[in-house]
Amino acid sequence: VSRRCGLSCVPPRERRFPAPKKRDYTDFSQSSKKPMVALLVATLGVAPAGVARRALGGKPSAAVWNEEIKAAWTQAYASAQGVPANYDIDEIEGRIPSALRGTVFRNGPGNFERGGQRYEHVLDGDGLLCRWSLDGATGRARFASRFVRTPEYAAEEAADTVLHRNTFGTQPASGPLGELENAFDLVLKNPANTNVQSWGGKLLALWEAALPCRIDPDTLEYVGRETFDGLLPDGALTVASGIGPEVDASLGLGVAFTAHPREDRKRGRVVGWSWAAPLVGSSLSVTVHEWDAASGALLASTPTALPSAIAPHDFALTDSWYIFALNAMQLNLFPYVLGLTGPVGALRTTGEGAVLVLVPRPGGAAAGREPLTVRTEDPYFAIHHAVACEEPRGGGGGSDGLDFAPSSSASRSDST
């Protein structure tokens, strides 16, 4: 984030980029800068980063991976400088509409190395909160930024070295025993880098495999882990014993909270879900919570189980249903437990169809029904969901038709 942050209030110029001539990608195993396709393959869990790069093989043509493109990617994933920042934006093109007044928060990875060690994946990057405040009446705009200073971030900053294991493969530097020195260290760093949401007077930086991070909206300083007044158990591992909450607490087990809660503007609610992986078996323990968006009061909690040991990244919402799309994946924990890779490197796609799980929503037309499981033959990989909506069918007043479109293939929908 540069010292001078420009704000444009006029339509941007149209930008055109040359399309690549062919789909061949580079081997970046010897470089700290990875091309986007290799990053996406690792993100999707097809293979750990090194294996994914080798599997893709080959180098791109000069037209695809030229110096201009290299420089653009290098700049895009350079660690932010000048943080923390807090200043008036003095370069405003055009005029801020007089009726426009408010604040926008953004969150995403902003630091990609520590102590000379480049992170293995951009999604291991430390969360950087940015805030833009606009006041059209005065014509002023202000910018602020700060890293989410979790205890893990603060410890690594003080030591100037990577101290914690990360989801996408970043972990402490190897010693005489190599990567095995990270064996049995199963606690992941919370980079707090995926999303930022506000409801009930709380500003939260979110990452999908930990509790939310409470943030002071005025200073952007880290306040602590958010449990919603004890609703979410706080533990070192997001694992459920299957015996009961008392046993989980005694073992130091907790839950994680989704990085992508949904807003139901019609009802004035925020809906999110907590989860814990099974200690044994392949059933994910999930509880969907609904809060009043204004007051933050808890309105409903719906426990359920998903037929997968792997938590989905996102979910969808209608008046009557919570909808989860489960990708066809296998989790081989041994390489992760032995310190050889991060959790994403332990995932493999199976090529089977995705599974949709529909959980009845309290107060909706499906309330009181059992959850529905729909097994498809479509092996698409869902990250986010564009839309889910209900359509009434037949002569009754109920709503028994549902259309669902994952954003990874938003031009099509699957109906149940």
Side-chain angles (χ1 to χ4, degrees), residues 22 24-28 57-65:
K22 61 179 180 178
D24 55 347
Y25 310 110
T26 190
D27 181 348
F28 260 56
K59 291 186 177 182
S61 65
V64 172
W65 193 243

PDB file of all heavy atoms in Angstrom, residues 22 24-28 57-65:
ATOM      1  N   LYS A  22      -1.540 -20.448 -25.879  1.00  0.00           N
ATOM      2  CA  LYS A  22      -1.740 -21.856 -25.579  1.00  0.00           C
ATOM      3  C   LYS A  22      -1.618 -22.075 -24.086  1.00  0.00           C
ATOM      4  O   LYS A  22      -1.067 -21.251 -23.367  1.00  0.00           O
ATOM      5  CB  LYS A  22      -0.729 -22.719 -26.330  1.00  0.00           C
ATOM      6  CG  LYS A  22       0.728 -22.416 -25.969  1.00  0.00           C
ATOM      7  CD  LYS A  22       1.666 -23.338 -26.737  1.00  0.00           C
ATOM      8  CE  LYS A  22       3.124 -23.067 -26.389  1.00  0.00           C
ATOM      9  NZ  LYS A  22       4.030 -23.993 -27.087  1.00  0.00           N
ATOM     10  N   ASP A  24       0.180 -23.766 -21.720  1.00  0.00           N
ATOM     11  CA  ASP A  24       1.291 -24.508 -21.155  1.00  0.00           C
ATOM     12  C   ASP A  24       1.904 -23.628 -20.070  1.00  0.00           C
ATOM     13  O   ASP A  24       1.954 -22.417 -20.196  1.00  0.00           O
ATOM     14  CB  ASP A  24       2.333 -24.899 -22.206  1.00  0.00           C
ATOM     15  CG  ASP A  24       2.854 -23.701 -22.978  1.00  0.00           C
ATOM     16  OD1 ASP A  24       2.244 -22.620 -22.867  1.00  0.00           O
ATOM     17  OD2 ASP A  24       3.856 -23.860 -23.689  1.00  0.00           O
ATOM     18  N   TYR A  25       2.324 -24.248 -19.017  1.00  0.00           N
ATOM     19  CA  TYR A  25       2.687 -23.501 -17.829  1.00  0.00           C
ATOM     20  C   TYR A  25       4.086 -23.873 -17.377  1.00  0.00           C
ATOM     21  O   TYR A  25       4.619 -24.927 -17.701  1.00  0.00           O
ATOM     22  CB  TYR A  25       1.675 -23.755 -16.713  1.00  0.00           C
ATOM     23  CG  TYR A  25       0.263 -23.568 -17.169  1.00  0.00           C
ATOM     24  CD1 TYR A  25      -0.604 -24.653 -17.301  1.00  0.00           C
ATOM     25  CD2 TYR A  25      -0.201 -22.307 -17.540  1.00  0.00           C
ATOM     26  CE1 TYR A  25      -1.897 -24.476 -17.753  1.00  0.00           C
ATOM     27  CE2 TYR A  25      -1.494 -22.134 -17.990  1.00  0.00           C
ATOM     28  CZ  TYR A  25      -2.341 -23.213 -18.092  1.00  0.00           C
ATOM     29  OH  TYR A  25      -3.603 -23.036 -18.537  1.00  0.00           O
ATOM     30  N   THR A  26       4.655 -23.002 -16.571  1.00  0.00           N
ATOM     31  CA  THR A  26       6.062 -23.137 -16.235  1.00  0.00           C
ATOM     32  C   THR A  26       6.303 -23.978 -14.998  1.00  0.00           C
ATOM     33  O   THR A  26       5.412 -24.211 -14.200  1.00  0.00           O
ATOM     34  CB  THR A  26       6.673 -21.741 -16.030  1.00  0.00           C
ATOM     35  OG1 THR A  26       8.078 -21.886 -15.927  1.00  0.00           O
ATOM     36  CG2 THR A  26       6.170 -21.109 -14.753  1.00  0.00           C
ATOM     37  N   ASP A  27       7.523 -24.439 -14.857  1.00  0.00           N
ATOM     38  CA  ASP A  27       7.976 -25.101 -13.640  1.00  0.00           C
ATOM     39  C   ASP A  27       8.715 -24.063 -12.815  1.00  0.00           C
ATOM     40  O   ASP A  27       9.788 -23.612 -13.182  1.00  0.00           O
ATOM     41  CB  ASP A  27       8.906 -26.270 -13.991  1.00  0.00           C
ATOM     42  CG  ASP A  27       9.378 -27.008 -12.751  1.00  0.00           C
ATOM     43  OD1 ASP A  27       9.177 -26.480 -11.644  1.00  0.00           O
ATOM     44  OD2 ASP A  27       9.932 -28.107 -12.903  1.00  0.00           O
ATOM     45  N   PHE A  28       8.121 -23.673 -11.712  1.00  0.00           N
ATOM     46  CA  PHE A  28       8.723 -22.642 -10.886  1.00  0.00           C
ATOM     47  C   PHE A  28       9.266 -23.228  -9.591  1.00  0.00           C
ATOM     48  O   PHE A  28       9.309 -22.581  -8.569  1.00  0.00           O
ATOM     49  CB  PHE A  28       7.679 -21.556 -10.564  1.00  0.00           C
ATOM     50  CG  PHE A  28       7.834 -20.356 -11.438  1.00  0.00           C
ATOM     51  CD1 PHE A  28       7.801 -20.485 -12.811  1.00  0.00           C
ATOM     52  CD2 PHE A  28       8.036 -19.111 -10.903  1.00  0.00           C
ATOM     53  CE1 PHE A  28       7.948 -19.392 -13.624  1.00  0.00           C
ATOM     54  CE2 PHE A  28       8.176 -18.004 -11.708  1.00  0.00           C
ATOM     55  CZ  PHE A  28       8.136 -18.135 -13.074  1.00  0.00           C
ATOM     56  N   GLY A  57       4.425 -29.358 -15.785  1.00  0.00           N
ATOM     57  CA  GLY A  57       5.565 -29.528 -16.671  1.00  0.00           C
ATOM     58  C   GLY A  57       5.681 -28.441 -17.716  1.00  0.00           C
ATOM     59  O   GLY A  57       4.783 -27.650 -17.963  1.00  0.00           O
ATOM     60  N   GLY A  58       6.864 -28.383 -18.336  1.00  0.00           N
ATOM     61  CA  GLY A  58       7.062 -27.488 -19.455  1.00  0.00           C
ATOM     62  C   GLY A  58       7.160 -26.037 -19.063  1.00  0.00           C
ATOM     63  O   GLY A  58       6.738 -25.636 -17.987  1.00  0.00           O
ATOM     64  N   LYS A  59       7.727 -25.241 -19.940  1.00  0.00           N
ATOM     65  CA  LYS A  59       7.811 -23.814 -19.736  1.00  0.00           C
ATOM     66  C   LYS A  59       6.918 -23.111 -20.746  1.00  0.00           C
ATOM     67  O   LYS A  59       6.737 -23.580 -21.858  1.00  0.00           O
ATOM     68  CB  LYS A  59       9.258 -23.345 -19.883  1.00  0.00           C
ATOM     69  CG  LYS A  59      10.167 -23.821 -18.765  1.00  0.00           C
ATOM     70  CD  LYS A  59      11.557 -23.216 -18.885  1.00  0.00           C
ATOM     71  CE  LYS A  59      12.433 -23.643 -17.725  1.00  0.00           C
ATOM     72  NZ  LYS A  59      13.784 -23.040 -17.794  1.00  0.00           N
ATOM     73  N   PRO A  60       6.366 -21.964 -20.371  1.00  0.00           N
ATOM     74  CA  PRO A  60       5.468 -21.266 -21.306  1.00  0.00           C
ATOM     75  C   PRO A  60       6.257 -20.559 -22.390  1.00  0.00           C
ATOM     76  O   PRO A  60       7.462 -20.338 -22.282  1.00  0.00           O
ATOM     77  CB  PRO A  60       4.762 -20.264 -20.393  1.00  0.00           C
ATOM     78  CG  PRO A  60       5.783 -19.949 -19.349  1.00  0.00           C
ATOM     79  CD  PRO A  60       6.522 -21.238 -19.111  1.00  0.00           C
ATOM     80  N   SER A  61       5.564 -20.195 -23.416  1.00  0.00           N
ATOM     81  CA  SER A  61       6.196 -19.420 -24.478  1.00  0.00           C
ATOM     82  C   SER A  61       6.501 -18.023 -23.955  1.00  0.00           C
ATOM     83  O   SER A  61       5.931 -17.556 -22.971  1.00  0.00           O
ATOM     84  CB  SER A  61       5.266 -19.335 -25.684  1.00  0.00           C
ATOM     85  OG  SER A  61       4.099 -18.602 -25.339  1.00  0.00           O
ATOM     86  N   ALA A  62       7.398 -17.350 -24.635  1.00  0.00           N
ATOM     87  CA  ALA A  62       7.772 -15.999 -24.233  1.00  0.00           C
ATOM     88  C   ALA A  62       6.577 -15.049 -24.300  1.00  0.00           C
ATOM     89  O   ALA A  62       6.499 -14.078 -23.551  1.00  0.00           O
ATOM     90  CB  ALA A  62       8.909 -15.489 -25.120  1.00  0.00           C
ATOM     91  N   ALA A  63       5.622 -15.340 -25.176  1.00  0.00           N
ATOM     92  CA  ALA A  63       4.439 -14.483 -25.277  1.00  0.00           C
ATOM     93  C   ALA A  63       3.564 -14.596 -24.032  1.00  0.00           C
ATOM     94  O   ALA A  63       2.886 -13.651 -23.647  1.00  0.00           O
ATOM     95  CB  ALA A  63       3.635 -14.852 -26.521  1.00  0.00           C
ATOM     96  N   VAL A  64       3.589 -15.767 -23.404  1.00  0.00           N
ATOM     97  CA  VAL A  64       2.764 -15.975 -22.213  1.00  0.00           C
ATOM     98  C   VAL A  64       3.475 -15.460 -20.969  1.00  0.00           C
ATOM     99  O   VAL A  64       2.885 -14.778 -20.135  1.00  0.00           O
ATOM    100  CB  VAL A  64       2.426 -17.472 -22.059  1.00  0.00           C
ATOM    101  CG1 VAL A  64       1.723 -17.735 -20.724  1.00  0.00           C
ATOM    102  CG2 VAL A  64       1.550 -17.929 -23.208  1.00  0.00           C
ATOM    103  N   TRP A  65       4.736 -15.781 -20.833  1.00  0.00           N
ATOM    104  CA  TRP A  65       5.463 -15.440 -19.604  1.00  0.00           C
ATOM    105  C   TRP A  65       6.617 -14.506 -19.960  1.00  0.00           C
ATOM    106  O   TRP A  65       7.781 -14.839 -19.896  1.00  0.00           O
ATOM    107  CB  TRP A  65       5.961 -16.718 -18.936  1.00  0.00           C
ATOM    108  CG  TRP A  65       6.440 -16.525 -17.523  1.00  0.00           C
ATOM    109  CD1 TRP A  65       7.687 -16.715 -17.036  1.00  0.00           C
ATOM    110  CD2 TRP A  65       5.652 -16.096 -16.423  1.00  0.00           C
ATOM    111  NE1 TRP A  65       7.741 -16.432 -15.696  1.00  0.00           N
ATOM    112  CE2 TRP A  65       6.494 -16.050 -15.288  1.00  0.00           C
ATOM    113  CE3 TRP A  65       4.315 -15.727 -16.273  1.00  0.00           C
ATOM    114  CZ2 TRP A  65       6.054 -15.658 -14.025  1.00  0.00           C
ATOM    115  CZ3 TRP A  65       3.868 -15.342 -15.015  1.00  0.00           C
ATOM    116  CH2 TRP A  65       4.723 -15.314 -13.915  1.00  0.00           C
TER     117      TRP A  65
END
